[in-house]
Amino acid sequence: MNTQSPARLAGSASIAFQTPVYISSCASVVGKKEGEGPLGDKFDLICEDPMFGCDTWEAAESTMQKEAASLALGKAGLAPGDIRMTFAGDLLAQTTASSFGIAGMGIPFYGLFGACSTMGESLSLGAMSIAAGYGEHILCATSSHFASAEKEFRFPLAYGNQRPLSATWTVTGSGACVLSGALPQEEIPRKTKPLLSDKCCVQITGLTTGKLIDYGLKDSLNMGGCMAPAACDTIYRNLCDFDRTPEDYDAIFTGDLGAVGQRILFDLLMEKGYDIQSIHQDCGLLIFDGETQDTHSGGSGCGCSASVLAAHILPELAKGTWKRVLFVPTGALLSKTSFNEGDSIPGIAHAVVLEHCPV
């Protein structure tokens, strides 16, 4: 009988897993603009049609998320019936993209909203569920679509409004991961492409739950400024809770701070005595070439960090390029209602510790 606790509490807001939480597989689906960016050759599927064969932007996003989930399941050699539960979300009201996407696969479903931090939220909840023994396989996913996000939060595309240099470009993309509590017992089928092998694996070894941080900013076209204080708070508490320094991580990836938010994050952490400039990377700066693709501050959206995680971060971890990284998706928690009523835009960031582990 295993009497070991599945996890231990660390510090004020963190959890260290004492039973393994493996990332069995991952998949990414993006649009044409993302496919033309620096990571274009790493995505599983690039769709040239922004409508994804559908009649509406929202249906296109649902289709994209379902496709990412199906690819992740296929890589792990699993069917929807093998998944105990799904944690998924998006930027749209009532998590529309997820509700009409993954929910249609017939898997028990929890819909999440953490804005652009949703992939960190879904991985956190999925990891806790796996560690506690509440499922053998759990699916985590999220998505965003440039056109559906503009329609939801800003202006109709036909309006042709100018975007300030602080603005980010919402990524048309989706990322999905399958979490498992055990290594596969049988030989992995050749047709699958899991992150697990007979030599190494990728594990979630810890997490830090974010707090709402509100500096009173009200500029919906400067998401980096709204989210940077939350990223600073979560990274700082992760280092304190686990008694680590930035050098204990090979890389720290934030979600979609962009160029503006990155500079603010560096300044805020320097005030706390931490310099992460040499190891920091931002998914919003990785997915686009700001000089040639006219994306201003960088990329954003739930699908930004999720697709970069699945296409770039996890495969490199599996190869051993990095041994331990901190994945910190960031979100700006605004809605049409709160923005139109003049409320400020709070930020949140959830941190997930990812490690390359020998089997």
Side-chain angles (χ1 to χ4, degrees):
M1 180 178 178
N2 183 9
T3 59
Q4 184 183 40
S5 172
R8 64 173 178 84
L9 300 181
S12 63
S14 299
I15 294 174
F17 294 111
Q18 297 177 237
T19 57
V21 179
Y22 302 104
I23 300 182
S24 297
S25 66
C26 59
S28 57
V29 177
V30 298
K32 182 175 183 293
K33 190 178 186 74
E34 292 70 21
E36 294 171 345
L39 302 179
D41 61 343
K42 297 186 177 184
F43 299 114
D44 291 297
L45 177 63
I46 300 169
C47 188
E48 298 290 319
D49 175 18
M51 299 298 289
F52 286 78
C54 301
D55 296 327
T56 66
W57 302 121
E58 292 78 10
E61 186 174 343
S62 295
T63 300
M64 178 174 58
Q65 191 181 126
K66 185 175 181 178
E67 183 65 28
S70 298
L71 286 171
L73 291 180
K75 287 186 179 184
L78 301 172
D82 298 318
I83 303 299
R84 181 68 178 184
M85 65 185 85
T86 297
F87 293 101
D90 51 81
L91 291 175
L92 305 184
Q94 288 76 52
T95 59
T96 304
S98 304
S99 297
F100 288 92
I102 284 183
M105 298 176 72
I107 304 171
F109 173 76
Y110 285 103
L112 308 178
F113 179 75
C116 304
S117 74
T118 300
M119 195 61 185
E121 183 179 3
S122 62
L123 288 174
S124 297
L125 294 171
M128 286 190 282
S129 299
I130 287 287
Y134 296 142
E136 184 177 356
H137 304 292
I138 289 177
L139 177 65
C140 302
T142 188
S143 65
S144 58
H145 192 295
F146 174 78
S148 65
E150 289 295 300
K151 177 181 174 182
E152 178 82 14
F153 295 106
R154 298 188 180 96
F155 302 97
L157 296 183
Y159 185 78
N161 63 297
Q162 285 188 305
R163 300 165 56 249
L165 293 178
S166 62
T168 51
W169 187 280
T170 304
V171 165
T172 297
S174 177
C177 296
V178 176
L179 307 187
S180 302
L183 294 167
Q185 298 299 313
E186 301 177 1
E187 184 178 352
I188 299 173
R190 291 183 179 180
K191 292 184 179 181
T192 62
K193 296 181 180 179
L195 290 170
L196 301 172
S197 72
D198 57 356
K199 297 180 180 179
C200 63
C201 62
V202 177
Q203 287 185 233
I204 297 176
T205 59
L207 59 89
T208 300
T209 304
K211 295 191 300 184
L212 287 174
I213 305 296
D214 190 350
Y215 272 33
L217 279 73
K218 297 184 178 182
D219 185 357
S220 67
L221 292 173
N222 183 7
M223 294 290 92
C226 298
M227 297 184 292
C232 171
D233 181 77
T234 299
I235 293 170
Y236 173 72
R237 286 187 297 116
N238 177 273
L239 296 174
C240 293
D241 288 353
F242 288 103
D243 192 23
R244 290 173 180 165
T245 66
E247 290 70 30
D248 290 315
Y249 292 106
D250 296 313
I252 295 178
F253 290 91
T254 48
D256 41 10
L257 297 181
V260 174
Q262 184 187 55
R263 290 196 297 269
I264 297 172
L265 173 64
F266 290 163
D267 290 344
L268 291 175
L269 279 173
M270 283 296 289
E271 291 178 1
K272 296 181 178 293
Y274 292 104
D275 183 358
I276 67 167
Q277 294 186 54
S278 63
I279 61 169
H280 178 260
Q281 299 185 60
D282 186 73
C283 297
L285 295 174
L286 291 171
I287 198 167
F288 292 128
D289 184 326
E291 293 185 3
T292 63
Q293 292 188 284
D294 191 29
T295 52
H296 292 10
S297 186
S300 62
C302 297
C304 179
S305 61
S307 59
V308 173
L309 173 74
H312 176 56
I313 301 173
L314 290 177
E316 292 299 321
L317 264 171
K319 289 192 295 185
T321 302
W322 306 298
K323 301 301 182 184
R324 179 194 288 154
V325 306
L326 189 64
F327 177 59
V328 193
T330 47
L333 301 179
L334 82 159
S335 70
K336 289 183 292 185
T337 301
S338 64
F339 177 75
N340 289 332
E341 292 180 350
D343 291 330
S344 58
I345 304 172
I348 194 165
H350 299 294
V352 182
V353 182
L354 303 168
E355 296 194 32
H356 169 93
C357 301
V359 174

